[in-house]
Amino acid sequence: MQLGFVSAILPDLSLEEILQFAAETGYDCVEVMCWPLGKAERRYAGVTHIDVTDFSDADADRIRQLCKETGVSISALGYYPNALSPDEDEAATSAEHIGRVIRAAGVLGINRATTFVGRDWTRSVDDNWPRFLSTWKPLIELADEQGVRVGIENCPMLFTADEWPGGKNLAISPAIWRRMFEAIPSLAFGLNYDPSHLIWMHMDEVSPLREFADRLVHVHAKDVRIDHERLNDVGILAHPNEYHTPKLPGLGDVDWGGFFSVLTDVGYDGPVCVEVEDRAYEGSLEARKASLRQSATFLRNFIPRHGA
């Protein structure tokens, strides 16, 4: 396995600066954000460390040279919009840019792209299904053509009132993953597995690794703490931000020993990237860098350094 981090937490740094920091901090790789240029309203969105809009062979050569110089690879190209939004323009624009990310990953030879499936949060899973098929079958056909695997993060995108009641991402549970992979059986379609989301949904974060081992494209290392006193007050039907808090790995409720034990058992040998969403570390660039240093120190208990 390779230890990395998600570049969204360092929006003020260039790609070169991020790769240099990763090398200095002992990371093997970085999941690089590829949002379209422009401002986004959501936290951690709208970060562009690689612009894939008009991605060329020269762009790829420059990035490969940066990776060679720093000794840090790119684990995946990431972009997390809502390609099934009820706003048809938003949905079309999102799907089009996902296609650009897939193509750029192919040109770079990274062969991994990470994203969300999306969802119309006002409608049921069944009512979303026809749009899921019409949007994602062509995208996975493109991924197959490009030799790229697409890892769908299992984040429900259901945290606040504007995402209520269904959340903005369909791919939240083993039951839905199973249905998705039956509908689109290509192994180019898989998971960017984040155990923290299963925790706050009161699910086992480890056991699905066995059933979906062949669908593990990429893994996020993020922790979460459930505030049980608050949960007892508001209940599970409250907006989830009312009773849970994202934390750095090791500071929440994920069983990291059990998680990595099974991850190695099933033969996963890809990237595991720290995703920092811990507000306690967001006050400054130095605090965000410190969060990545701390996360690397913790996770190196489970992922040995290459050559070590």
Side-chain angles (χ1 to χ4, degrees):
M1 283 183 273
Q2 308 86 51
L3 180 61
F5 64 84
V6 182
S7 76
I9 197 62
L10 299 175
D12 19 20
L13 300 187
S14 68
L15 178 62
E16 182 175 5
E17 290 169 328
I18 285 171
L19 294 177
Q20 289 171 344
F21 171 76
E24 294 163 1
T25 314
Y27 281 97
D28 307 310
C29 59
V30 176
E31 180 188 357
V32 178
M33 294 298 100
C34 300
W35 287 75
L37 292 174
K39 185 174 175 58
E41 295 180 3
R42 197 177 83 227
R43 289 170 73 220
Y44 313 112
V47 178
T48 311
H49 285 124
I50 295 177
D51 182 2
V52 301
T53 304
D54 294 303
F55 197 75
S56 66
D57 289 337
D59 294 323
D61 289 341
R62 177 183 62 82
I63 292 166
R64 279 192 287 262
Q65 184 61 31
L66 284 176
C67 291
K68 182 178 180 181
E69 291 170 358
T70 58
V72 176
S73 64
I74 295 175
S75 68
L77 299 185
Y79 168 55
Y80 295 86
N82 187 354
L84 302 183
S85 169
D87 181 325
E88 292 186 6
D89 289 341
E90 178 188 352
T93 299
S94 297
E96 182 179 11
H97 197 74
I98 291 170
R100 293 192 189 105
V101 172
I102 291 170
R103 290 186 186 92
V107 171
L108 272 167
I110 295 168
N111 302 328
R112 291 188 195 92
T114 46
T115 188
F116 292 144
V117 162
R119 177 174 178 167
D120 178 345
W121 62 98
T122 69
R123 300 169 70 85
S124 70
V125 172
D126 286 342
D127 287 344
N128 270 272
W129 209 253
R131 288 190 68 217
F132 159 68
L133 294 174
S134 63
T135 299
W136 278 95
K137 281 188 173 182
L139 285 170
I140 298 306
E141 287 174 4
L142 173 64
D144 266 321
E145 292 168 4
Q146 298 293 319
V148 171
R149 298 192 74 194
V150 177
I152 301 297
E153 188 181 349
N154 54 298
C155 175
M157 291 306 293
L158 171 55
F159 300 111
T160 53
D162 63 313
E163 297 166 331
W164 197 260
K168 296 183 178 179
N169 185 29
L170 281 173
I172 64 170
S173 67
I176 296 177
W177 305 339
R178 204 173 293 122
R179 183 177 176 184
M180 292 169 74
F181 298 143
E182 287 172 358
I184 305 178
S186 168
L187 287 178
F189 193 34
L191 296 171
N192 182 13
Y193 193 99
D194 185 329
S196 71
H197 300 302
L198 294 160
I199 289 286
W200 69 259
M201 290 191 291
H202 311 284
M203 300 164 71
D204 185 337
E205 78 275 28
V206 174
S207 62
L209 295 173
R210 295 184 175 91
E211 178 179 352
F212 297 97
D214 63 343
R215 298 288 180 167
L216 297 176
V217 173
H218 197 270
V219 170
H220 273 175
K222 188 174 71 182
D223 217 330
V224 68
R225 186 186 70 244
I226 297 177
D227 184 337
H228 288 279
E229 183 176 346
R230 183 67 179 150
L231 179 59
N232 288 337
D233 189 41
V234 301
I236 62 168
L237 296 183
H239 300 142
N241 273 0
E242 295 186 45
Y243 59 80
H244 91 286
T245 305
K247 300 301 295 180
L248 299 186
L251 299 183
D253 297 331
V254 173
D255 173 11
W256 291 105
F259 182 77
F260 279 103
S261 177
V262 174
L263 201 58
T264 52
D265 281 351
V266 302
Y268 181 75
D269 61 0
V272 178
C273 289
V274 176
E275 184 181 24
V276 177
E277 294 188 355
D278 190 332
R279 288 185 183 271
Y281 292 83
E282 290 184 356
S284 67
L285 174 59
E286 185 49 44
R288 287 179 277 123
K289 285 183 173 181
S291 74
L292 291 168
R293 295 188 188 101
Q294 179 174 327
S295 298
T297 298
F298 176 76
L299 290 170
R300 282 302 183 195
N301 289 293
F302 310 100
I303 305 174
R305 295 191 67 167
H306 292 271

